[in-house]
Amino acid sequence: MKKLIWNVYFWLVFLVLTSVGILLLPSILVTQILLFSRSLPSALRRAIRWYGWVLVCLVPFMSPVRVRYSTRELPESAIFVANHNSAIDPYLFGAIPVENSFVTSWPFRIPVYGFFMRLAGYANAEEGWDAVRSRCKALLDEGSYVTIWPEGHRSRNNQLGRFKNGAFSLAIETGRPLVPVCILGAGKILSPGERLMACGEVTLIVLDPVYPAVDIGDDALAVRQLRSEVHKIIEQTLRENGQFADVDLPGCPLSGPVETSNTM
């Protein structure tokens, strides 16, 4: 019953916020373009980030998403790589105050969302790696972050799967750093296959940037080493924070139970 009440509350607020956001979007974009000389895609990416922030920091008013930084300063633009356990994961990045974009696939087929994602210049993984790589390079050159899920899909067992090469090859080619992000708790709120969200706490841990080596001379070896290094960092941090522990869910923001905070 508590879960049902939480879902009714969330989806009603979600629909209202999305409708209001679409109505306000033209004025937000015009302000960004005229006052801050941003391009339309850049202004839209920032607007989408604010939309995500409202959804994950204001709507769950008793349990907003928390962000912990282990790095003092984020690079100007970089590649976020994160574990992926839930459909809510992309929204969580609204809590990190940088212009961001995503490499993704099926969300492009969602009405309205797909239109704005194309307008914002997000990379569609279904177009193949060459197209994704080209789009990601352009996004990084424009000063945007690019988020890539290195597992390529959501984990169905809450474990960290094998990483694909895309994000690491992109880092080697562009010389841009990777910023590992650990997502804790999202898999217990809306895991793959679930239709109703549970209440819960979610925490993002933003780790120190990892810079690609420039003196290895063998790109394939450099990609493998970088991939292995980042996988170990994320896995260790998740383990230290209980991600793989078999624990019962504590309390729910709305009243009940809950717990702790594409590729390529």
Side-chain angles (χ1 to χ4, degrees):
M1 189 56 167
K2 292 170 184 173
K3 193 172 181 178
L4 182 60
I5 293 173
W6 164 245
N7 278 266
V8 170
Y9 158 76
F10 177 84
W11 288 112
L12 279 176
V13 175
F14 175 86
L15 289 173
V16 171
L17 278 175
T18 302
S19 301
V20 171
I22 291 174
L23 290 175
L24 293 177
L25 185 59
S27 58
I28 294 173
L29 295 180
V30 168
T31 303
Q32 286 281 309
I33 292 170
L34 294 183
L35 292 187
F36 301 101
S37 302
R38 304 195 197 287
S39 66
L40 174 60
S42 173
L44 183 55
R45 289 192 288 270
R46 289 168 184 268
I48 292 173
R49 207 281 288 176
W50 296 332
Y51 170 69
W53 178 81
V54 171
L55 285 175
V56 302
C57 293
L58 293 186
V59 174
F61 56 96
M62 293 180 67
S63 186
V65 169
R66 294 175 295 175
V67 183
R68 287 162 40 193
Y69 295 91
S70 68
T71 181
R72 291 187 175 182
E73 188 175 2
L74 288 172
E76 283 192 5
S77 74
I79 304 161
F80 281 133
V81 283
N83 59 308
H84 194 16
N85 295 313
S86 172
I88 71 169
D89 290 346
Y91 298 93
L92 304 176
F93 282 79
I96 303 176
V98 296
E99 180 182 320
N100 194 12
S101 54
F102 292 87
V103 176
T104 186
S105 55
W106 62 267
F108 276 96
R109 297 194 289 272
I110 300 175
V112 183
Y113 269 36
F115 170 77
F116 286 116
M117 289 165 64
R118 290 184 188 87
L119 201 57
Y122 289 7
N124 187 345
E126 294 181 343
E127 294 178 353
W129 175 241
D130 287 342
V132 168
R133 179 174 54 194
S134 173
R135 183 88 284 277
C136 289
K137 286 181 176 177
L139 286 162
L140 291 167
D141 288 342
E142 292 167 16
S144 174
Y145 272 66
V146 174
T147 299
I148 298 179
W149 315 106
E151 296 164 276
H153 53 76
R154 288 170 289 167
S155 170
R156 291 184 174 274
N157 59 7
N158 216 30
Q159 301 297 306
L160 187 65
R162 182 178 179 182
F163 284 0
K164 298 184 178 182
N165 287 336
F168 311 97
S169 144
L170 182 65
I172 297 289
E173 284 186 46
T174 63
R176 307 280 181 166
L178 294 145
V179 177
V181 178
C182 294
I183 301 175
L184 302 170
K188 292 174 179 173
I189 291 182
L190 188 64
S191 58
E194 286 290 331
R195 294 188 179 277
L196 293 179
M197 287 191 298
C199 308
E201 296 179 358
V202 176
T203 297
L204 301 184
I205 304 177
V206 182
L207 301 170
D208 287 321
V210 179
Y211 289 83
V214 294
D215 55 355
I216 291 184
D218 180 338
D219 283 355
L221 176 61
V223 168
R224 288 199 300 273
Q225 289 183 347
L226 190 59
R227 184 185 66 193
S228 175
E229 179 183 0
V230 173
H231 190 283
K232 285 179 183 175
I233 291 171
I234 292 179
E235 184 177 41
Q236 181 179 348
T237 305
L238 290 172
R239 193 175 301 283
E240 289 172 352
N241 286 274
Q243 172 75 6
F244 306 128
D246 185 18
V247 294
D248 292 327
L249 302 178
C252 161
L254 209 56
S255 56
V258 189
E259 155 34 24
T260 43
S261 132
N262 308 337
T263 321
M264 303 215 128

